[in-house]
Amino acid sequence: MTDARGSAGRNGETNARHTPGTPCWVSLMVHGPAATQDFYGSLFGWEFEPGPQQLGPYARALLDGHEVAGIGRLPADRHLPLAWTPYFASDDVNRTAETVRLCGGTVGVGPLDAGDAGRLAIGSDPTGAVFGVWQAAAHLGTAVTGVPGTPVWNELMTYETASVAKFYETVFGFELVPEVSADLDHVTLRLDGRPVAGVHGVGSALPRDRGPHWVTYFDVADADEALERVTELGGHVLEQPHGTPRGRVATVADPEGARFSLLQSGTS
């Protein structure tokens, strides 16, 4: 569970530009950003500083001084399912947005400039799952990986993988590697031979109130301790820890209902 970026230094720190197609940032839009910052700050040890305000009040989360994620405020009249949104790197967000449209997706926001940080678009695939596209300028994206409190993986939960995986292959240039299993519909998305994200088809098990959506996994040192902390902070445990080839995974929701997963990889 790695990403395709330049060589990382100590503790996963890197200043390299992300390879196009790489998940390079995650962002969450909520109704109460102050309370949400308190939750994630206490859970992951994040601190916050103001970020670009083009989409409204927005703050970047820092872990030991390194940018790892963003939290912004939804307009009061927007009542959408809250979810962490992964952003995929692009060298030309205008061209990527046009490809999204040509492949049957939708571009709902942008492309637009986020100050001197870069240029972004927010779109959805043909099944409705929302994702972002980021063309970096001053802000390259997540600046540290591989330590607790950092995003470590993104996986699309959808009805079936075949058609939607082709969409991401065409838009971002991924290599599709299907799981060889009679009872599991899963495709790994690779760049330069390295896994960067996954697509999981779950059929009718997909929550009706969510529809297809991306799930962000955050690295934790101990999944059980993290679950206790989530509950203490007012969040909810949706799925108890269970073993996977990548480590122990649990699914939770923050106090506003945004779902995310915790991954204890065994190397944290």
Side-chain angles (χ1 to χ4, degrees):
M1 196 175 294
T2 58
D3 68 9
R5 66 169 77 204
S7 59
R10 185 171 60 88
N11 293 330
E13 181 184 352
T14 176
N15 294 313
R17 183 172 294 273
H18 293 263
T19 303
T22 307
C24 62
W25 188 246
V26 291
S27 188
L28 175 64
M29 304 296 285
V30 295
H31 296 289
T36 298
Q37 289 177 26
D38 288 343
F39 172 83
Y40 288 100
S42 297
L43 180 62
F44 293 138
W46 292 351
E47 298 178 336
F48 295 88
E49 67 177 15
Q53 306 293 301
Q54 276 70 17
L55 298 178
Y58 189 81
R60 290 180 182 152
L62 307 179
L63 182 66
D64 296 328
H66 303 294
E67 297 170 338
V68 293
I71 294 176
R73 177 184 293 159
L74 272 175
D77 59 347
R78 298 291 296 277
H79 299 286
L80 303 172
L82 303 182
W84 282 95
T85 300
Y87 282 71
F88 298 92
S90 172
D91 283 342
D92 186 335
V93 70
N94 290 48
R95 185 177 66 232
T96 301
E98 184 59 26
T99 306
V100 166
R101 295 187 185 98
L102 291 172
C103 293
T106 301
V107 178
V109 176
L112 58 83
D113 290 325
D116 62 356
R119 189 164 171 80
L120 67 86
I122 300 174
S124 57
D125 66 30
T127 71
V130 176
F131 61 92
V133 182
W134 181 252
Q135 180 181 339
H139 174 62
L140 298 180
T142 301
V144 62
T145 61
V147 296
T150 61
V152 67
W153 186 248
N154 291 281
E155 188 143 298
L156 175 62
M157 305 297 290
T158 190
Y159 296 109
E160 54 85 23
T161 64
S163 60
V164 75
K166 287 289 186 183
F167 167 85
Y168 289 97
E169 177 187 34
T170 304
V171 173
F172 294 110
F174 296 129
E175 174 193 1
L176 308 182
V177 182
E179 186 103 11
V180 181
S181 171
D183 58 354
L184 182 64
D185 182 15
H186 188 277
V187 173
T188 299
L189 306 179
R190 291 177 175 260
L191 282 174
D192 301 326
R194 303 173 67 186
V196 296
V199 182
H200 191 185
V202 296
S204 60
L206 197 69
R208 289 188 177 184
D209 62 333
R210 306 292 297 185
H213 60 281
W214 282 93
V215 177
T216 296
Y217 291 61
F218 291 94
D219 191 305
V220 294
D222 186 303
D224 297 299
E225 289 183 3
L227 286 190
E228 289 183 13
R229 192 69 179 133
V230 165
T231 303
E232 290 171 358
L233 294 168
H236 307 280
V237 177
L238 304 178
E239 186 176 0
Q240 292 291 334
H242 59 281
T244 75
R246 302 179 183 94
R248 297 186 74 220
V249 172
T251 303
V252 300
D254 67 24
E256 277 206 33
R259 301 182 184 197
F260 59 99
S261 290
L262 305 172
L263 173 67
Q264 177 187 336
S265 66
T267 60
S268 298

